[in-house]
Amino acid sequence: MYDVVIVGAGPSGIFTALEMIKLGSKKTICLIEKGHSVETRVCPKNKTGKCIHCNPCNITTGFSGAGAFSDGKLSLSYQVGGSLPDLIGADKAQELIDYTDKIYLEFGADPFIEGAEDSLEKKAIRKRAIEAGLQLVDCPIRHLGTEKAHDLYLAIEKYLENNGVKIIYNRECHDVILENGVCKGVKIRKINGENEETILGNDIVIAAGRRGADWLEQICAKYNIAHRPGPVDVGVRVEVRNEVMEELNKALYEAKLVGWPAPFKDKVRTFCQNPGGFVAQENYDDDLAVVNGHSFKETKSNNTNVSILASHNFMEPFDQPIQYAQKVGQLTNMLGTGQIMVQRFGDILDGKRTWPRELQRSNITPTLKDAVAGDITAAIPYRTMTDIINFIKAVDKVAPGFASTETLLYAPEVKFYSNRIRMDENLTTNIEHLFCLGDSSGWTRGLMMASVMGVIAGRRLAK
């Protein structure tokens, strides 16, 4: 029995506990995490050269969550990171971002901010974006780096433990306990289903991250937790030579471009840009392989990778956007025999698949070595693929060479945060003493905004 039980040790769960401690709360806190501690979060692929399908995946689960081990970027503008400002207001969101950023600095974040200056180079990039029909979103970035994020979150992990937070690792939450509309606790067990335990609490926080979004959607349906489907993001990860993105990397580090390309006018955006980075594979439940990107502080490649995501809003009666994205991912995995697929942009335009020999004679050396050359257009829906193609052509006007024949597209890249929990500005849901935070709640997308949501919860629960 604890005062506060937190499910998920990603940024929102971590900062809930952290803020309670900083406010001097004497409440007992239990933090439950499906994966491992920071110290033991190691991806075997670094040695084996290929994914061995760890269960759970060390990239997507463990203390600090999936985001910190992909690239470790903190977006310092309320305009980036989800819809939380719609809930609490833009001014309040920016105030909390500034506050949360100072906490990251206390634990060792790099004080340098990327893209903070309104330089002549940035103005020239914005002009080209306008001419291409794209919006350039101003967002300073504090880059932790994948390896530096490891050290920072290890320090936070030790801080929580030293201040009495009980952290239970290698346990998944498979159910919540509700009595007469009040949340009383959770049921947890090992990944293999053994050793079920009941953890009771006065307040229960679900912060399950993108990986837990599908599970939380099922829990919402089971217990009538008020929610609604949101837009689903389906796309690809694009990789080009650093020379193509050099101006954008230098002036902005991460160029956040948004467009509504014809003919469908869906919102399409860049996300998670990694200068000198590496394309990576993540594994979700049922061995779903999803592409992502890493960027390190010290180790650099010759390439820049960036996600391009098309947002789709489905109308009633359809209410399973997460399952839709999963099906797209599963079909792509099927064609790639369980691996990430890669295809050259020129081959997509020519209506042909990419062959391994064509990758070998390219100017771009793929950083995801075990990606399977093939035809991603056989799996990604026509509407989404059309959005992506036309968006890439627009970005080419901002960064010439982006739409070259050799540009690499990896798939699938899908984001599981489309289930949105109904709540008010104080994070109150229709279930008493139940709070849903972070990316699994559908309100945040990324490290900073998820951390901010944790701060809000921590302040409320500390009382």
Side-chain angles (χ1 to χ4, degrees):
M1 178 71 191
Y2 297 87
D3 292 314
V4 177
V5 176
I6 303 170
V7 177
S12 54
I14 291 170
F15 272 79
T16 299
L18 195 58
E19 185 67 4
M20 291 180 66
I21 293 169
K22 284 184 167 291
L23 292 175
S25 174
K26 300 303 180 183
K27 290 184 176 180
T28 56
I29 304 171
C30 178
L31 185 57
I32 301 164
E33 171 52 44
K34 186 175 183 178
H36 306 299
S37 68
V38 174
E39 293 173 291
T40 55
R41 282 187 69 179
V42 178
C43 179
K45 188 176 181 180
N46 296 332
K47 292 183 178 180
T48 64
K50 64 178 183 178
C51 178
I52 63 173
H53 302 281
C54 298
N55 187 23
C57 174
N58 279 302
I59 296 296
T60 60
T61 61
F63 191 94
S64 74
F69 273 65
S70 59
D71 60 348
K73 289 197 289 287
L74 302 174
S75 299
L76 302 182
S77 169
Y78 75 89
Q79 294 177 290
V80 175
S83 303
L84 189 60
D86 296 339
L87 192 66
I88 65 174
D91 291 341
K92 183 65 174 179
Q94 189 60 55
E95 175 190 329
L96 287 167
I97 287 172
D98 296 339
Y99 170 81
T100 306
D101 184 44
K102 291 177 182 178
I103 297 177
Y104 273 105
L105 288 170
E106 289 175 12
F107 283 96
D110 189 340
F112 180 73
I113 299 177
E114 306 275 2
E117 297 181 3
D118 193 18
S119 62
L120 292 176
E121 291 81 4
K122 186 187 292 187
K123 291 180 179 179
I125 293 168
R126 180 177 288 108
K127 180 181 178 181
R128 295 200 299 273
I130 293 171
E131 292 172 346
L134 300 175
Q135 179 183 1
L136 178 66
V137 179
D138 270 323
C139 182
I141 297 289
R142 191 179 303 285
H143 181 217
L144 305 179
T146 304
E147 77 278 41
K148 300 298 182 181
H150 181 282
D151 298 333
L152 183 150
Y153 282 108
L154 178 60
I156 295 178
E157 179 184 326
K158 296 302 180 185
Y159 178 87
L160 296 181
E161 290 176 336
N162 292 338
N163 281 275
V165 176
K166 173 67 174 178
I167 306 179
I168 302 176
Y169 292 107
N170 305 313
R171 296 292 189 278
E172 64 176 349
C173 177
H174 69 92
D175 207 352
V176 298
I177 301 170
L178 294 184
E179 295 179 7
N180 300 318
V182 179
C183 194
K184 299 285 189 177
V186 296
K187 294 180 180 180
I188 65 173
R189 63 190 177 195
K190 288 185 176 181
I191 299 297
N192 61 10
E194 296 179 352
N195 300 344
E196 180 174 292
E197 303 172 65
T198 296
I199 308 293
L200 302 178
N202 294 324
D203 289 293
I204 308 300
V205 175
I206 303 295
R210 293 176 194 169
R211 178 158 189 151
D214 183 32
W215 168 80
L216 181 55
E217 184 182 43
Q218 296 173 31
I219 292 295
C220 288
K222 181 178 179 179
Y223 294 108
N224 294 317
I225 301 170
H227 67 290
R228 60 183 174 87
V232 62
D233 287 343
V234 178
V236 298
R237 185 156 291 265
V238 175
E239 187 169 43
V240 298
R241 290 277 304 190
N242 284 330
E243 290 87 343
V244 172
M245 301 292 285
E246 186 174 15
E247 185 180 358
L248 276 66
N249 291 342
K250 182 178 179 181
L252 301 163
Y253 190 83
E254 180 166 5
K256 294 185 179 294
L257 296 166
V258 183
W260 291 263
F264 301 111
K265 302 295 185 178
D266 295 318
K267 181 180 179 180
V268 186
R269 62 190 175 95
T270 60
F271 178 77
C272 186
Q273 183 171 315
N274 295 295
F278 298 83
V279 178
Q281 177 178 326
E282 297 179 348
N283 288 328
Y284 285 75
D285 293 334
D286 299 320
D287 285 331
L288 177 62
V290 176
V291 67
N292 207 329
H294 290 194
S295 57
F296 300 91
K297 276 290 189 180
E298 308 297 337
T299 305
K300 299 295 182 181
S301 75
N302 294 320
N303 301 344
T304 293
N305 68 76
V306 61
S307 173
I308 292 181
L309 298 172
S311 295
H312 299 303
N313 290 280
F314 294 103
M315 305 298 290
E316 295 180 351
F318 183 75
D319 62 353
Q320 295 181 300
I322 292 178
Q323 288 80 357
Y324 172 86
Q326 288 174 333
K327 294 296 184 183
V328 174
Q330 289 166 359
L331 184 56
T332 312
N333 283 180
M334 181 188 298
L335 294 174
T337 61
Q339 300 293 112
I340 299 299
M341 290 185 68
V342 61
Q343 187 174 11
R344 301 190 311 167
F345 186 62
D347 294 335
I348 291 174
L349 297 182
D350 290 340
K352 63 176 287 292
R353 65 160 291 169
T354 295
W355 297 94
R357 64 177 181 274
E358 293 171 319
L359 296 179
Q360 293 169 2
R361 59 179 184 238
S362 171
N363 284 306
I364 305 173
T365 301
T367 54
L368 185 60
K369 303 299 183 183
D370 58 348
V372 175
D375 185 1
I376 65 176
T377 67
I380 295 180
Y382 170 78
R383 180 173 183 143
T384 304
M385 202 68 238
T386 302
D387 288 339
I388 292 168
I389 290 171
N390 291 336
F391 185 80
I392 288 176
K393 290 178 178 178
V395 175
D396 188 71
K397 298 176 181 178
V398 182
F402 194 79
S404 75
T405 298
E406 297 181 332
T407 293
L408 300 179
L409 277 64
Y410 298 84
E413 175 126 2
V414 291
K415 301 302 181 187
F416 301 116
Y417 38 48
S418 58
N419 177 48
R420 185 167 295 175
I421 310 298
R422 294 187 183 274
M423 61 183 74
D424 63 17
E425 67 275 12
N426 297 312
L427 311 186
T428 303
T429 67
N430 68 314
I431 304 297
E432 289 186 46
H433 299 286
L434 175 66
F435 300 87
C436 300
L437 311 180
D439 285 13
S440 63
S441 75
W443 287 99
T444 71
R445 301 178 182 181
L447 287 176
M448 177 53 79
M449 207 63 87
S451 302
V452 164
M453 204 171 187
V455 169
I456 298 171
R459 290 179 178 180
R460 174 166 178 177
L461 294 172
K463 296 178 181 179

